[in-house]
């Protein structure tokens, strides 16, 4: 379960940044998770709760914002939604595309006290 390692990293990064800002507590953390990132939101939430115990994030809320997968066709330059990496362009049926979004995994913001 790689979500455990991801949750640990989120807690470490958020706690380090909160301490630098003189915070006593982290109230919430917003994380962007791309549709093609391979991260299971439910597992990440469970692991986050376990990893945040006895830290500045203990009891904080993890908010997950899903980022849809989008691509641009290399042939006709049409932008379109992806359900997986191998979707053909809906306009010209070409297989070559450039991924625009969907692999994100980043802390977007956090609320501190």
């Amino acid at each position: 379960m790689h979500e455990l390692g991801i949750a640990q990293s989120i807690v470490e990064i958020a706690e380090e940044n909160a301490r630098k800002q003189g915070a006593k507590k982290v109230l919430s953390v917003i994380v962007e998770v791309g549709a093609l990132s391979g991260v299971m939101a439910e597992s990440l939430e469970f692991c986050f709760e376990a990893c945040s115990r006895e830290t500045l994030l203990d009891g904080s809320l993890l908010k997950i914002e899903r980022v849809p997968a989008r691509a641009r066709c290399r042939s006709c330059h049409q932008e379109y939604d992806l359900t997986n990496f191998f979707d053909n362009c809906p306009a010209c049926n070409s297989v070559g595309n450039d991924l625009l979004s969907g692999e994100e995994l980043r802390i977007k913001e956090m609320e501190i006290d």
Side-chain angles (χ1 to χ4, degrees), residues 40-65:
M40 296 177 55
E42 299 81 19
S43 295
L44 183 57
E45 289 170 342
F46 176 80
C47 293
F48 177 82
E49 185 178 335
C51 292
S52 63
R53 288 188 190 125
E54 300 181 18
T55 70
L56 292 180
L57 288 86
D58 198 350
S60 67
L61 178 63
L62 176 66
K63 298 175 185 176
I64 297 175
E65 293 183 356

Side-chain angles (χ1 to χ4, degrees), residues 11-104:
V11 169
E12 289 170 4
I13 292 166
E15 189 170 39
E16 178 183 334
N17 283 288
R19 286 188 193 285
K20 286 180 183 177
Q21 296 180 39
K24 297 176 184 154
K25 180 153 182 62
V26 176
L27 303 173
S28 66
V29 179
I30 300 175
V31 178
E32 290 181 325
V33 177
L36 300 177
S37 68
V39 175
M40 296 177 55
E42 299 81 19
S43 295
L44 183 57
E45 289 170 342
F46 176 80
C47 293
F48 177 82
E49 185 178 335
C51 292
S52 63
R53 288 188 190 125
E54 300 181 18
T55 70
L56 292 180
L57 288 86
D58 198 350
S60 67
L61 178 63
L62 176 66
K63 298 175 185 176
I64 297 175
E65 293 183 356
R66 299 296 283 180
V67 178
R70 300 247 333 136
R72 179 181 298 117
C73 177
R74 290 183 189 146
S75 297
C76 72
H77 307 289
Q78 173 76 31
E79 289 187 15
Y80 56 96
D81 292 331
L82 290 174
T83 55
N84 65 62
F85 287 105
F86 307 107
D87 286 347
N88 291 359
C89 173
C92 71
N93 206 34
S94 175
V95 294
N97 65 47
D98 294 315
L99 192 63
L100 300 174
S101 67
E103 291 184 306
E104 294 82 357

